[in-house]
């Protein structure tokens, strides 16, 4: 048998392999364009005080988790205990972005479930959410000491995700100069 | 009696044919509104995937339509708006993906394979004819 006959078979194999890889991917997942880029500039009010503005500078100087949530978001309620445990450990501050929400509803939600956030940015019109390329809630970014986005987690953070994926990155960034 | 009732019922439903999802906030001139719709039809709704933001009623698509209209009102061009969205959501947001170094193989790969096959075919024919 000529070796040339093997070429189409090899080609076919390659095609099947690439389909197999493609099918395994979650089509709903959109990789962030922000990786290794500074957090977009923003100037929005704090959830607890309509007069107080929060900007990107609030995140400089330490590693932060930036978590998109909303009182309307059922998955966020599910994620909440994990965020509370992270906040209780004192290992990293979490900045919340209250997305497409209503102030009173958000405050009620936090009173009911507890508030794990060091500070909360109120973003009712998706201003910051757009700049972050958010597609849904919850989503969480790890932002380093210089305000640069280093990781994005789409969806709920489980205790397992925190232990195996996010915490190691946070800890490494914490020790970085 | 029944017939006139049916006619009235039909008449009542006519306005729905002209219904459009309201876009709160920005009011644009007819021409600009048309541009906004054209741009909207080229942007994918990232939470619904198979729809454009102009077709979708998802809250997110409504926000995005508003953003497009705000940018038009600010005098931004179509290219600038699409670039803005692409910078945030990647090529995925465009219904008609642009060519880039990353996807050049997808655009030219088939032609490349065709050319290679042609070369292979011609050279093997020559060999076959020679002896």
């Amino acid at each position: 048998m000529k070796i040339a006959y093997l070429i189409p078979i090899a080609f076919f194999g390659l095609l099947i392999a690439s389909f197999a890889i493609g099918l395994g991917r979650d089509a709903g997942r959109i990789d962030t364009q922000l990786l290794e880029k500074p957090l977009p500039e923003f100037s929005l009010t704090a959830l607890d005080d309509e007069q107080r503005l929060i900007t990107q500078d609030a995140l400089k100087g330490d590693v932060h988790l930036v978590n998109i949530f909303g009182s309307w978001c059922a998955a966020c309620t599910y994620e909440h205990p994990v965020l509370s445990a992270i906040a209780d450990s004192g290992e990293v501050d979490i900045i919340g972005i209250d997305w497409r929400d209503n102030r009173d509803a958000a405050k009620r939600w936090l009173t009911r479930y507890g508030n794990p956030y060091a500070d909360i940015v109120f973003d009712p019109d998706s201003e910051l959410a757009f700049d972050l390329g958010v597609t849904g809630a919850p989503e969480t970014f790890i932002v380093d000491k210089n305000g640069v986005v280093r990781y994005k987690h789409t969806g709920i953070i489980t205790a397992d995700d925190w232990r195996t994926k996010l915490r190691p990155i946070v800890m490494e960034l914490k020790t970085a100069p | 009696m029944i017939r006139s009732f049916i006619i009235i019922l039909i008449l009542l439903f006519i306005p729905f044919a002209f219904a459009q999802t309201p876009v709160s906030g920005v009011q644009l001139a007819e021409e600009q509104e048309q541009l906004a719709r054209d741009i909207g039809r080229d942007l994918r709704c990232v939470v619904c995937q198979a729809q454009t933001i102009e077709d979708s009623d998802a809250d997110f698509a409504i926000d995005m339509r508003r953003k497009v209209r705000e940018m038009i009102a600010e005098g931004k061009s179509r290219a600038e708006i699409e670039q803005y969205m692409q910078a945030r959501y990647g090529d995925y947001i465009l219904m008609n993906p642009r060519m880039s170094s990353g996807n050049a193989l997808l655009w030219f790969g088939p032609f490349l394979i065709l050319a290679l096959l042609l070369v292979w075919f011609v050279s093997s024919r020559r060999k076959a004819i020679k002896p």
Side-chain angles (χ1 to χ4, degrees):
Chain A
M1 194 167 83
K2 270 198 204 165
I3 199 125
Y5 290 134
L6 288 174
I7 293 172
I9 296 169
F11 225 82
F12 184 70
L14 213 67
L15 202 67
I16 294 295
S18 52
F19 283 164
I21 294 167
L23 280 172
R25 274 194 197 157
D26 179 3
R29 212 190 156 86
I30 303 167
D31 288 333
T32 178
Q33 305 291 310
L34 273 181
L35 227 51
E36 308 304 327
K37 285 187 196 150
L39 202 73
E41 289 179 10
F42 66 92
S43 178
L44 290 162
T45 62
L47 176 69
D48 58 1
D49 182 358
E50 285 175 52
Q51 305 299 320
R52 184 165 62 90
L53 285 175
I54 305 175
T55 69
Q56 69 284 355
D57 291 333
L59 284 112
K60 294 208 173 121
D62 202 359
V63 182
H64 287 93
L65 294 185
V66 174
N67 178 254
I68 319 284
F69 76 101
S71 64
W72 47 268
C73 155
C76 299
T77 316
Y78 192 79
E79 182 188 55
H80 211 70
V82 177
L83 294 184
S84 298
I86 295 170
D88 287 345
S89 75
E91 287 176 322
V92 65
D93 278 348
I94 310 170
I95 302 292
I97 298 175
D98 185 23
W99 182 38
R100 290 189 65 97
D101 212 346
N102 153 314
R103 260 181 222 274
D104 290 334
K107 284 178 192 165
R108 273 201 303 278
W109 190 78
L110 289 166
T111 315
R112 184 168 169 196
Y113 295 103
N115 183 356
Y117 302 105
D119 208 350
I120 300 172
V121 180
F122 186 58
D123 187 16
D125 299 315
S126 304
E127 280 176 55
L128 179 55
F130 264 138
D131 282 342
L132 287 170
V134 166
T135 57
E139 277 184 15
T140 307
F141 297 86
I142 298 176
V143 181
D144 75 8
K145 291 173 182 171
N146 302 314
V148 175
V149 176
R150 301 299 289 266
Y151 188 79
K152 180 189 182 186
H153 184 91
T154 306
I156 295 165
I157 301 175
T158 62
D160 234 26
D161 288 332
W162 169 244
R163 211 180 49 243
T164 60
K165 291 186 208 156
L166 285 90
R167 190 172 177 274
I169 299 169
V170 168
M171 287 304 147
E172 200 197 312
L173 291 173
K174 280 249 178 190
T175 55
Chain B
M1 178 60 198
I2 287 177
R3 187 183 287 180
S4 58
F5 178 72
I6 289 173
I7 289 172
I8 288 169
L9 208 64
I10 289 172
L11 286 174
L12 275 174
F13 276 95
I14 286 177
F16 289 110
F18 298 94
Q20 254 172 347
T21 320
V23 177
S24 59
V26 196
Q27 275 298 321
L28 294 176
E30 185 72 20
E31 222 170 279
Q32 288 179 313
E33 179 60 31
Q34 193 54 48
L35 176 66
R37 285 201 197 128
D38 281 350
I39 295 172
R41 274 192 277 270
D42 198 26
L43 294 174
R44 193 192 305 268
C45 164
V46 288
V47 295
C48 11
Q49 302 204 16
Q51 278 182 312
T52 68
I53 60 164
E54 209 58 37
D55 296 330
S56 171
D57 280 335
D59 288 341
F60 196 81
I62 294 170
D63 273 359
M64 221 168 230
R65 283 204 291 268
R66 197 190 53 228
K67 185 78 202 172
V68 167
R69 280 158 180 79
E70 275 169 12
M71 289 182 80
I72 289 175
E74 284 166 21
K76 297 274 196 308
S77 72
R78 180 177 188 147
E80 280 173 316
I81 294 169
E82 288 183 351
Q83 210 176 5
Y84 171 93
M85 295 294 180
Q86 200 181 4
R88 280 151 187 80
Y89 292 96
D91 290 337
Y92 185 83
I93 191 126
L94 302 171
M95 292 303 270
N96 296 304
R98 311 287 185 267
M99 199 167 56
S100 70
S101 55
N103 62 23
L105 196 67
L106 281 176
W107 287 75
F108 299 112
F111 299 107
L112 199 77
I113 291 168
L114 198 71
L116 282 174
L117 282 174
L118 220 71
V119 169
W120 173 73
F121 180 73
V122 170
S123 66
S124 65
R125 267 340 258 296
R126 276 209 194 123
K127 259 185 227 156
I129 292 164
K130 261 185 188 168

